[in-house]
Amino acid sequence: MDAPSAGCAFEYLIETLNDSSHKFFNIPKLGGTKYDALPYSIRVLLEAAVRNCDGFLMRKEDVMNILNWKTKQSNVEVPFFPARVLLQDFTGIPAMVDFAAMREAVKTLGGDPKRVHPACPTDLTVDHSLQIDFSKCAIQNAPNPGGGDLQRAGKLSPLKVQPKKLPCRGQTTCRGSCDSGELGRNSGKFASQIENTPILCPFHLQPVPEPETVLKNQEVEFGRNRERLQFFKWSSRVFKNVAVIPPGTGMAHQVNLEYLSRVVFEEKDFLFPDSVVGTDSHITMVNGLGILGWGVGGIETEAVMLGLPISLTLPEVVGCELTGSSNPFVTSIDVVLGITKHLRQAGVAGKFVEFFGSGVSQLSIVDRTTIANMCPEYGAILSFFPVDNVTLKHLEHTGFDKPKLESMETYLKAVKLFQNDHNSSGEPEYSQVIQINLNSIVPSVSGPKRPQDRVAVTDMKSDFQACLNEKVGFKGFQIAAEKQNDTVSIHYEGSDYKLSHGSVVIAAVISCTNNCNPSVMLAAGLLAKKAVEAGLCVKPYIRTSLSPGSGMVTHYLSSSGVLPYLSKLGFEIVGYGCSTCVGNTAPLSEAVLNAVKQGDLVTCGVLSGNKNFEGRLCDCVRANYLASPPLVVAYAIAGTVNIDFQTEPLGTDPTGKSIYLHDIWPSQEEVHQVEEEHVILSMFKALKGKIEKGNKRWNSLEAPDSVLFPWDLKSTYIRCPSFFDKLTKEPVALQPVENAHVLLYLGDCVTTDHISPAGSIARSSAAAKYLTNRGLTPREFNSYGARRGNDAVMTRGTFANIKLFNKFIGKPAPKTIHFPSGQTLDVFEAAELYQKEGIPLIILAGKKYGSGNSRDWAAKGPYLLGVKAVLAESYEKIHKDHLIGIGIAPLQFLPGENADSLGLSGRETFSLTFPKELSPGITLNIKTSTGKVFSAIASFENDVEITLYKHGGLLNFVARKF
């Protein structure tokens, strides 16, 4: 919710920010020293609780529980109202379909459908629809049009394999000259090149058209998904608070990080912290910007859109104190992976992690978001970096104007959400604190034969010497002691050189595994610049190369001015693709080959790729090391891996002065500054322009703008769901469940994967029969994910998992028994018969029913099958909440009891009545057709859940409010 809730109990905390018109809740006044001791992430939860306290969905008791986090953590459930929601298209379409259907229901009951809108800002990115129907590598089969009226998409012809041509020799659409010197002279022109824009020829830096593969795949995407895209466009037109990011713009988490993030919300002159939940697992990236956010299931996001909070156990917060300074030769990737390793070992699963300490300021925003994005690696719910000066500087480069930044900083400091190196308000107290000394993270390389054999750079010389001594094996070369100092002279390009064991003969900077973090490539460029300025060079016999992973890498190397220096050292751009990694290295010179054979030398290749198995780069190069891009450049300048960078110089300058690696190694501050000024700025400007401008296909896509969506009855993708078919203006009294049959008799640990439709649609399934009857062929079925906007398909896919074990059947199969007829049928077909006969249904289950990932159709599907209640030994809490939210009663056997102990076969019918006044945890009596009577717990935990159930679920509850 944006502004304070009506009747907010904490209005007395509202103040005006300095002399501005902005208002805010001055939360520190509520808690005093208690507030100062709260972790920053908990302060965000507390602010949202205070702002949304209405006495019902958010109670004063909830607010005080959060304020008393120190004693309440892990012991209480608290509601949370995120500031906004982020959806991707697969999980977003059922939510938007429900809102469209709600408009229909409100109109039917005499209300104004124009009042139906999501309660909070909702951004939907269409980024999960793209399939690779065409590639430049091989001729593909004709694309799958995906059904419906989209058969014209199938007329596109697959991309033909073109004869291989040499790049840019007057044969392409590049208008540049073919002079080999053109690269350096035109490098400045590349400053306009940014991600997701027309590619520039890497040799002349001139624009060329988008690859045919991209255009064809996008054309098929718009054809295959036309119905869904038209629906999304209608949604963005008629619903307030809904913004759709069209296909071809970017992935959900990147767009969220680079464009959608507010950091501080400003609604109706009211300021409050940005926070987000969404249906993409990478939502956690935004915690690196000081925005509280994490991934949840579709039904939780829909609840937030409907104006309800999500519920979470007040989490433990692990404080991660970063101290010390990074080692001189450590890169950002070393730091990120080192911190991730520490967190994985610390045991932070299911907890918040929050970073503090003097070392935090050494991490760039790219580093922070990368660490936050790796939460699945170490199991934390999120990793939070409070806003600080580094954040503000980053936001300045991403397009936030100065007044906005000043207002943001003032507000965050007023509510003590701004982290200083020396916090005057005292340090937060954490559930536990783990310390990571950045100085303990050491730079390393991998080799000489396997990527898993890591060697600290400081130990490189001694380790290589040990490898020469060891027997031939994973690391050893077994060179006789008397031959380990042998050298062989070579004459190359008019000069004499000496090769020895450890001499570098291949050096390749490859960004395929590093371009996700530009800092390491920029570090290599800055190192090259300083080396050239110091008069250092790379010996000409070393095969050097630069293979960027994308045009974006070339862009920022060029715009930052370091590309010419890399070229000066021999690291010329050779193209965009796998090269050295897969053994596609240019042949070594005859002089080098002869010297290696003559001296039986263990020469070396150094590359920043991910494979270094013996002989992979070249059969005469026996030792291969994986290193960061700047270390590749360093070892190329040194000419050997048999060097101790701390005590031995790389070379000498023209005056004869020794130049050590520490003399030319760029500091992290230098790298971060260049990264912000030359990478971040252009990238964010480009994305903003792309989103605001849109693309031709999206802009020209026709879509209705009517108040109600014009449902196409022939559509197999978008259908008005039946959730509101029996909606009345006022909730009716709870009806008894009489003579209900058991649809399924399940055991323990039935997961949402067993229940919810997922994956491809099996040809023999009920969903397949439905689609076939509408004229679709199996190749047009698409997937359940693509058809989540059609409840008829999704209901037929519920309990359709081939691994489902129904005790009535006795083996895994998506089948059950229709007891009135005795037939064994697909679950849907049996449920359909029961509904025609007016027979209610229940499900019997064991322990942990509904465990696994949160899935909205694991609750929606059973509801549409006619299931009125589930009777289980225990539930996964999230799924139990979903059942209540859709209108299914979660009943629980008494402790120590289950179907077997009560002598239930599942073939009986079951009856129960609800009292007029339900209360949390009330015990109900259930009577079977055999005359047995037993008790079960109605597993409602609070008055909100009871209210939602009485309304028939949250959809009906919200529809009635309209």
Side-chain angles (χ1 to χ4, degrees):
M1 295 184 176
D2 42 13
S5 299
C8 177
F10 296 94
E11 289 185 358
Y12 68 90
L13 293 175
I14 297 177
E15 296 185 3
T16 301
L17 189 68
N18 291 350
D19 297 327
S20 71
S21 60
H22 294 127
K23 296 181 179 179
F24 70 102
F25 277 99
N26 193 346
I27 310 296
K29 283 190 175 181
L30 175 67
T33 56
K34 276 188 180 180
Y35 182 84
D36 292 343
L38 291 177
Y40 288 87
S41 51
I42 301 300
R43 297 178 193 183
V44 176
L45 292 180
L46 180 61
E47 192 282 339
V50 167
R51 179 167 34 91
N52 292 286
C53 185
D54 61 357
F56 178 58
L57 296 175
M58 181 72 73
R59 302 166 302 164
K60 273 190 173 182
E61 180 185 350
D62 298 317
V63 173
M64 300 315 294
N65 280 339
I66 299 174
L67 180 61
N68 293 309
W69 167 83
K70 186 175 181 180
T71 58
K72 296 291 187 178
Q73 57 183 291
S74 301
N75 295 322
V76 296
E77 292 278 326
V78 293
F80 173 52
F81 283 95
R84 59 188 172 96
V85 161
L86 179 66
L87 304 169
Q88 42 90 342
D89 46 325
F90 270 16
T91 53
I93 196 162
M96 298 315 304
V97 165
D98 287 347
F99 271 90
M102 189 181 293
R103 284 198 159 198
E104 298 273 357
V106 170
K107 183 177 185 299
T108 300
L109 292 180
D112 182 4
K114 292 181 181 178
R115 294 182 58 208
V116 178
H117 302 282
C120 68
T122 300
D123 300 299
L124 191 152
T125 62
V126 186
D127 68 333
H128 279 53
S129 301
L130 182 63
Q131 298 180 25
I132 303 175
D133 295 283
F134 300 94
S135 79
K136 65 182 180 179
C137 302
I139 298 176
Q140 305 289 323
N141 295 324
N144 173 10
D149 63 348
L150 314 177
Q151 300 298 331
R152 63 180 176 273
K155 296 180 180 178
L156 292 170
S157 58
L159 182 64
K160 295 179 180 179
V161 176
Q162 301 294 333
K164 187 175 181 180
K165 299 178 180 179
L166 292 173
C168 252
R169 300 298 180 191
Q171 302 173 6
T172 74
T173 50
C174 173
R175 298 293 187 267
S177 160
C178 296
D179 182 3
S180 61
E182 197 74 4
L183 175 63
R185 290 196 294 274
N186 283 312
S187 60
K189 299 179 182 179
F190 204 68
S192 62
Q193 167 68 3
I194 35 99
E195 191 104 56
N196 295 325
T197 59
I199 291 176
L200 300 189
C201 165
F203 295 90
H204 298 119
L205 312 178
Q206 300 289 329
V208 298
E210 287 190 82
E212 189 178 356
T213 50
V214 174
L215 295 174
K216 281 181 175 286
N217 279 316
Q218 287 182 357
E219 189 171 347
V220 174
E221 179 182 7
F222 270 78
R224 175 187 287 121
N225 298 290
R226 182 173 299 276
E227 291 178 59
R228 297 164 65 233
L229 295 177
Q230 287 175 326
F231 176 75
F232 285 144
K233 195 164 188 179
W234 171 81
S235 299
S236 68
R237 286 177 173 177
V238 303
F239 290 119
K240 297 176 183 177
N241 284 336
V242 172
V244 175
I245 311 299
T249 305
M251 291 179 288
H253 52 285
Q254 284 297 133
V255 174
N256 185 28
L257 186 69
E258 298 168 8
Y259 180 75
L260 302 175
S261 294
R262 281 82 153 175
V263 184
V264 171
F265 253 87
E266 181 179 336
E267 295 286 348
K268 301 177 183 177
D269 293 326
F270 210 92
L271 300 179
F272 54 95
D274 189 3
S275 57
V276 60
V277 294
T279 54
D280 188 277
S281 60
H282 298 286
I283 295 290
T284 53
M285 285 184 78
V286 296
N287 291 281
L289 274 178
I291 299 170
L292 196 71
W294 65 93
V296 296
I299 211 160
E300 287 94 339
T301 52
E302 191 167 345
V304 174
M305 292 167 65
L306 290 166
L308 275 69
I310 61 172
S311 180
L312 74 154
T313 301
L314 196 58
E316 294 180 40
V317 182
V318 177
C320 183
E321 183 179 11
L322 302 182
T323 61
S325 300
S326 298
N327 276 310
F329 307 143
V330 161
T331 67
S332 287
I333 286 182
D334 292 323
V335 173
V336 168
L337 294 180
I339 291 174
T340 300
K341 180 182 178 182
H342 277 283
L343 291 173
R344 188 164 51 241
Q345 294 171 342
V348 295
K351 303 173 185 178
F352 283 11
V353 174
E354 188 168 293
F355 289 86
F356 70 100
S358 59
V360 173
S361 61
Q362 298 182 47
L363 300 181
S364 69
I365 293 298
V366 175
D367 298 336
R368 298 178 188 190
T369 54
T370 304
I371 293 168
N373 188 41
M374 295 180 76
C375 280
E377 289 287 324
Y378 44 88
I381 298 173
L382 56 86
S383 285
F384 191 72
F385 288 86
V387 176
D388 60 6
N389 288 318
V390 174
T391 315
L392 294 181
K393 187 175 181 181
H394 169 83
L395 294 175
E396 182 181 356
H397 288 139
T398 64
F400 279 69
D401 57 41
K402 189 174 181 180
K404 170 73 174 175
L405 287 173
E406 290 176 350
S407 172
M408 180 187 300
E409 182 176 1
T410 303
Y411 166 71
L412 291 172
K413 287 181 176 178
V415 293
K416 299 183 179 180
L417 285 173
F418 191 89
Q419 187 178 63
N420 296 306
D421 288 339
H422 303 289
N423 198 334
S424 58
S425 64
E427 290 294 338
E429 297 177 11
Y430 295 101
S431 308
Q432 70 179 95
V433 173
I434 58 175
Q435 290 185 324
I436 300 177
N437 189 331
L438 296 179
N439 194 47
S440 68
I441 300 173
V442 297
S444 60
V445 299
S446 295
K449 301 182 182 183
R450 301 186 305 174
Q452 63 264 44
D453 296 325
R454 296 182 67 80
V455 183
V457 171
T458 52
D459 299 332
M460 185 64 167
K461 183 169 185 175
S462 59
D463 189 82
F464 183 75
Q465 291 287 347
C467 291
L468 294 180
N469 289 319
E470 286 183 23
K471 293 181 179 180
V472 174
F474 291 134
K475 292 196 69 170
F477 298 103
Q478 202 169 350
I479 303 298
E482 64 273 12
K483 295 185 177 182
Q484 290 181 11
N485 295 320
D486 287 357
T487 61
V488 178
S489 298
I490 65 168
H491 188 76
Y492 188 80
E493 293 185 352
S495 299
D496 292 322
Y497 304 93
K498 288 186 177 182
L499 294 185
S500 60
H501 295 293
S503 289
V504 174
V505 294
I506 296 174
V509 174
I510 306 165
S511 72
C512 60
T513 55
N514 294 305
N515 60 1
C516 61
N517 191 328
S519 62
V520 288
M521 293 296 286
L522 288 171
L526 291 171
L527 179 76
K529 179 177 183 292
K530 292 187 175 186
V532 170
E533 291 171 345
L536 300 178
C537 62
V538 174
K539 297 178 176 64
Y541 61 80
I542 298 175
R543 281 282 180 256
T544 49
S545 62
L546 171 59
S547 179
S550 72
M552 181 62 187
V553 180
T554 307
H555 157 57
Y556 60 68
L557 291 178
S558 176
S559 64
S560 61
V562 299
L563 194 58
Y565 297 98
L566 285 164
S567 299
K568 183 77 172 177
L569 293 181
F571 291 96
E572 299 267 4
I573 294 177
V574 296
Y576 299 84
C578 295
S579 51
T580 308
C581 267
V582 293
N584 293 340
T585 304
L588 299 178
S589 68
E590 286 296 321
V592 171
L593 290 174
N594 291 335
V596 171
K597 292 178 182 177
Q598 177 185 335
D600 189 26
L601 298 178
V602 179
T603 53
C604 301
V606 186
L607 70 154
S608 61
N610 59 6
K611 295 290 188 295
N612 63 330
F613 301 114
E614 188 173 15
R616 186 180 180 93
L617 307 191
C618 177
D619 57 7
C620 62
V621 179
R622 292 153 69 182
N624 300 299
Y625 288 92
L626 303 179
S628 65
L631 282 176
V632 172
V633 176
Y635 280 114
I637 295 170
T640 180
V641 300
N642 195 15
I643 182 175
D644 182 346
F645 283 138
Q646 293 181 308
T647 60
E648 298 178 61
L650 292 173
T652 57
D653 67 8
T655 66
K657 178 186 175 183
S658 293
I659 304 296
Y660 292 84
L661 182 57
H662 61 75
D663 295 325
I664 62 171
W665 189 271
S667 68
Q668 285 197 352
E669 291 75 15
E670 290 177 90
V671 175
H672 291 168
Q673 181 178 351
V674 174
E675 184 178 36
E676 288 284 348
E677 294 177 357
H678 295 280
V679 181
I680 303 297
L681 182 61
S682 61
M683 186 187 301
F684 279 68
K685 280 185 177 179
L687 180 63
K688 183 178 180 181
K690 191 177 182 79
I691 290 176
E692 293 175 352
K693 183 180 178 182
N695 61 59
K696 290 182 179 178
R697 288 187 181 86
W698 176 259
N699 293 341
S700 62
L701 182 70
E702 294 182 358
D705 55 8
S706 52
V707 174
L708 302 178
F709 184 72
W711 306 98
D712 180 0
L713 298 180
K714 295 180 181 179
S715 173
T716 57
Y717 278 95
I718 307 290
R719 201 178 99 116
C720 185
S722 55
F723 298 121
F724 303 102
D725 285 357
K726 298 179 182 179
L727 182 67
T728 57
K729 278 191 176 182
E730 297 296 331
V732 298
L734 291 176
Q735 299 299 303
V737 178
E738 296 180 332
N739 300 316
H741 270 291
V742 176
L743 178 64
L744 294 160
Y745 184 6
L746 306 170
D748 296 338
C749 300
V750 172
T751 71
T752 51
D753 286 338
H754 291 112
I755 307 169
S756 180
S760 59
I761 298 173
R763 296 191 179 194
S764 61
S765 65
K769 295 172 188 175
Y770 169 85
L771 295 172
T772 301
N773 289 339
R774 279 151 183 76
L776 273 65
T777 62
R779 65 186 294 271
E780 297 169 325
F781 287 170
N782 215 322
S783 65
Y784 283 113
R787 296 191 181 274
R788 292 178 73 151
N790 186 323
D791 64 306
V793 172
M794 297 300 284
T795 305
R796 285 164 171 80
T798 303
F799 293 114
N801 191 312
I802 60 172
K803 299 294 185 182
L804 180 73
F805 188 89
N806 180 6
K807 294 183 180 182
F808 292 151
I809 304 300
K811 63 180 180 180
K815 302 283 186 181
T816 195
I817 297 174
H818 175 252
F819 288 109
S821 67
Q823 298 179 80
T824 297
L825 302 170
D826 286 338
V827 175
F828 171 79
E829 293 171 345
E832 189 177 37
L833 275 181
Y834 280 124
Q835 289 200 39
K836 287 179 180 178
E837 296 160 350
I839 298 174
L841 298 171
I842 68 169
I843 291 172
L844 288 181
K847 300 180 180 71
K848 297 183 179 179
Y849 179 77
S851 56
N853 292 332
S854 169
R855 301 191 186 281
D856 54 342
W857 274 99
K860 289 179 175 179
Y863 174 82
L864 294 178
L865 288 175
V867 174
K868 303 299 182 185
V870 177
L871 179 55
E873 292 182 63
S874 63
Y875 293 88
E876 179 77 20
K877 186 185 183 307
I878 292 177
H879 183 64
K880 180 175 70 66
D881 294 345
H882 291 179
L883 293 176
I884 297 169
I886 203 64
I888 296 176
L891 307 178
Q892 192 165 338
F893 289 107
L894 296 180
E897 294 184 355
N898 55 40
D900 287 338
S901 70
L902 293 171
L904 303 176
S905 67
R907 297 173 181 268
E908 312 92 338
T909 60
F910 294 74
S911 300
L912 72 148
T913 57
F914 296 95
K916 287 184 179 180
E917 295 300 325
L918 271 180
S919 58
I922 192 171
T923 300
L924 304 176
N925 290 326
I926 301 175
K927 184 177 180 179
T928 72
S929 55
T930 62
K932 179 181 288 293
V933 178
F934 63 95
S935 297
I937 300 167
S939 194
F940 301 108
E941 296 185 16
N942 52 55
D943 292 337
V944 173
E945 291 186 349
I946 291 174
T947 300
L948 292 179
Y949 181 71
K950 284 182 175 180
H951 277 269
L954 64 91
L955 291 172
N956 290 347
F957 173 75
V958 175
R960 288 192 176 100
K961 289 174 65 176
F962 288 121

